[in-house]
């Protein structure tokens, strides 16, 4: 305790900083300009680096291993969400809030296109793309008019939930029968791997959502705790930062969709899921590379 006390810095109350008055419709539990005069919420800003690292990692792998090109858009959207969130938490300006929130809608719409477009004809995929484009436009226009964060949160939640449940249907209704037909001996192993990957991503997302709500509801009590433990130890109580980390790690759900697509195309003999649950970040790689990587671990 004596050593911990020696490295404590006062946890300041909110103050005015470099970017001036807040214009965003939301503000989080981290005290404004507490750590730096130039960044409104340092912890909430830096935790978005998870999106940068995983986004560029995923983008590199999609290009390197020639996965479906739609995932280029998915990972670019994922990166833009992280950049927008960094800009928002740095400045607390309304324009930067939109740069954070609207790309979330656009990225999940791309994921919805991948999920609902599975095994559909080009004509149906075209109609689906038009519908999702129209839906994203409607959400954008209405949100700009209403400026109601709850509307955005509900819209994003419903899109995410529908995309996940569609993914479940594809797993059991399309992929399992395909595995049984192609290679019955490995069907159960592949399906267990798929479900483990999917549920890991969902668990991380829901854990982040739980902490996000706790941070909002009990902000006053959490702030009192942070003022007692002081910096840098108070950082671990920045719940919105944990939301960023855990939803960033929900990247597992994107890899679930990518790996599903590979298997739907019958490429499970060419590619493999290189992943040790809760120990490594998943990636879909050629079997020769994956096997060599596993031998070195």
């Amino acid at each position: 305790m004596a050593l911990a006390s020696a490295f404590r810095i006062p946890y300041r109350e909110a103050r005015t900083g470099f970017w001036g008055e807040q214009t965003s419709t939301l503000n989080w539990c981290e005290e404004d300009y507490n750590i730096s005069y130039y960044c409104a919420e340092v912890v909430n800003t830096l935790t978005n680096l998870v999106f940068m690292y995983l986004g560029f990692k995923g983008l590199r792998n999609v290009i390197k291993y020639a996965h479906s090109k739609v995932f280029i858009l998915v990972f670019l959207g994922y990166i833009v969400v992280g950049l927008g969130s960094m800009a928002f938490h740095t400045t607390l300006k309304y324009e930067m809030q939109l740069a954070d929130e609207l790309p979330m809608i656009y990225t999940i719409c791309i994921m919805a296109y991948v999920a609902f477009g599975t095994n559909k004809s080009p004509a149906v995929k075209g109609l689906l793309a038009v519908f999702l484009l129209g839906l994203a436009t409607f959400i954008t226009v209405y949100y700009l008019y209403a400026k109601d964060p709850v509307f955005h949160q509900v819209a994003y939640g419903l899109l995410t939930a529908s995309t996940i449940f569609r993914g479940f249907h594809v797993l059991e209704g399309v992929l399992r029968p395909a595995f049984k037909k192609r290679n019955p001996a490995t069907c159960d192993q592949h399906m267990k791997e798929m479900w483990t990957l999917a549920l890991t991503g969902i668990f991380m997302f829901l854990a982040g959502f739980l902490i996000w709500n706790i941070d909002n509801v009990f902000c006053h009590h959490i702030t009192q705790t942070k003022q007692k433990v002081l910096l840098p130890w108070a950082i671990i109580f920045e719940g919105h930062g944990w939301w960023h980390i855990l939803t960033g790690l929900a990247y597992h759900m994107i890899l679930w969709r990518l790996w599903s697509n590979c298997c739907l195309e019958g490429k499970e003999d060419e590619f493999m899921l290189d992943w040790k649950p809760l120990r490594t970040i998943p990636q879909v790689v050629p079997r020769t590379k994956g096997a060599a990587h596993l031998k070195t671990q």
Side-chain angles (χ1 to χ4, degrees):
M1 284 298 296
L3 181 61
S5 299
F7 291 96
R8 296 200 300 176
I9 304 168
Y11 188 85
R12 295 190 187 97
E13 294 182 356
R15 56 176 178 164
T16 304
F18 178 80
W19 299 99
E21 185 180 353
Q22 170 197 338
T23 59
S24 61
T25 60
L26 292 170
N27 199 349
W28 307 104
C29 197
E30 183 177 355
E31 296 282 15
D32 300 348
Y33 298 99
N34 172 33
I35 296 176
S36 171
Y37 174 76
Y38 298 98
C39 180
E41 298 174 344
V42 170
V43 176
N44 289 347
T45 298
L46 293 181
T47 46
N48 281 290
L49 291 174
V50 172
F51 287 85
M52 300 296 99
Y53 170 70
L54 294 179
F56 281 109
K57 179 183 177 72
L59 185 61
R60 180 203 64 185
N61 284 353
V62 169
I63 296 170
K64 183 177 181 179
Y65 302 128
H67 295 310
S68 176
K69 288 183 175 59
V70 71
F71 286 97
I72 293 177
L73 294 178
V74 171
F75 283 114
L76 284 175
Y78 181 86
I79 291 166
V80 170
V81 168
L83 289 171
S85 185
M86 291 181 81
F88 170 36
H89 290 292
T90 296
T91 65
L92 292 181
K93 294 297 184 182
Y94 177 66
E95 296 79 8
M96 298 302 102
Q97 179 183 342
L98 295 177
D100 174 10
E101 293 174 330
L102 292 179
M104 293 169 64
I105 297 295
Y106 306 150
T107 303
I108 195 61
C109 280
I110 298 170
M111 288 291 291
Y113 172 80
V114 175
F116 285 93
T118 299
N119 279 11
K120 303 300 181 183
S121 67
V124 172
K125 286 184 177 181
L127 290 173
L128 177 63
V130 170
F131 169 75
L132 290 169
L133 180 62
L135 179 61
T137 302
F138 166 75
I139 292 172
T140 300
V141 172
Y142 184 81
Y143 187 44
L144 290 174
Y145 166 75
K147 296 185 178 181
D148 181 4
V150 174
F151 168 75
H152 168 269
Q153 291 158 11
V154 171
Y156 178 72
L158 290 175
L159 279 166
T160 301
S162 62
T163 301
I164 288 171
F165 283 112
R166 170 61 180 174
F168 291 164
H169 171 74
V170 170
L171 274 188
E172 293 298 331
V174 181
L175 194 54
R176 185 183 289 275
F179 278 143
K180 284 184 176 179
K181 184 177 180 180
R182 289 198 299 262
N183 196 343
T186 61
C187 175
D188 289 342
Q189 176 188 344
H190 282 307
M191 291 304 298
K192 179 181 178 182
E193 186 178 62
M194 287 284 184
W195 276 106
T196 302
L197 181 61
L199 294 176
T200 299
I202 292 167
F203 171 78
M204 289 183 176
F205 184 88
L206 292 177
F209 182 66
L210 174 64
I211 294 174
W212 180 77
N213 278 283
I214 291 172
D215 194 58
N216 289 339
V217 174
F218 298 103
C219 178
H220 176 70
H221 301 289
I222 293 170
T223 299
Q224 288 181 330
T225 300
K226 288 186 285 191
Q227 289 170 344
K228 289 178 182 177
V229 300
L230 307 182
L231 291 167
W233 320 110
I235 288 174
I236 65 172
F237 294 99
E238 299 294 359
H240 198 78
W242 285 109
W243 156 256
H244 289 159
I245 292 169
L246 290 167
T247 53
L249 289 173
Y251 166 92
H252 287 67
M253 290 194 287
I254 301 178
L255 265 291
W256 163 42
R257 188 66 257 169
L258 194 156
W259 181 221
S260 295
N261 267 34
C262 276
C263 294
L264 286 166
E265 294 171 359
K267 294 181 179 179
E268 66 269 20
D269 291 331
E270 298 176 44
F271 291 91
M272 63 175 287
L273 180 66
D274 182 13
W275 179 51
K276 292 186 175 181
L278 301 180
R279 286 177 287 171
T280 62
I281 299 297
Q283 56 180 351
V284 177
V285 299
R287 282 201 170 271
T288 51
K289 178 180 175 62
H293 182 244
L294 288 173
K295 285 180 182 179
T296 62
Q297 293 184 331

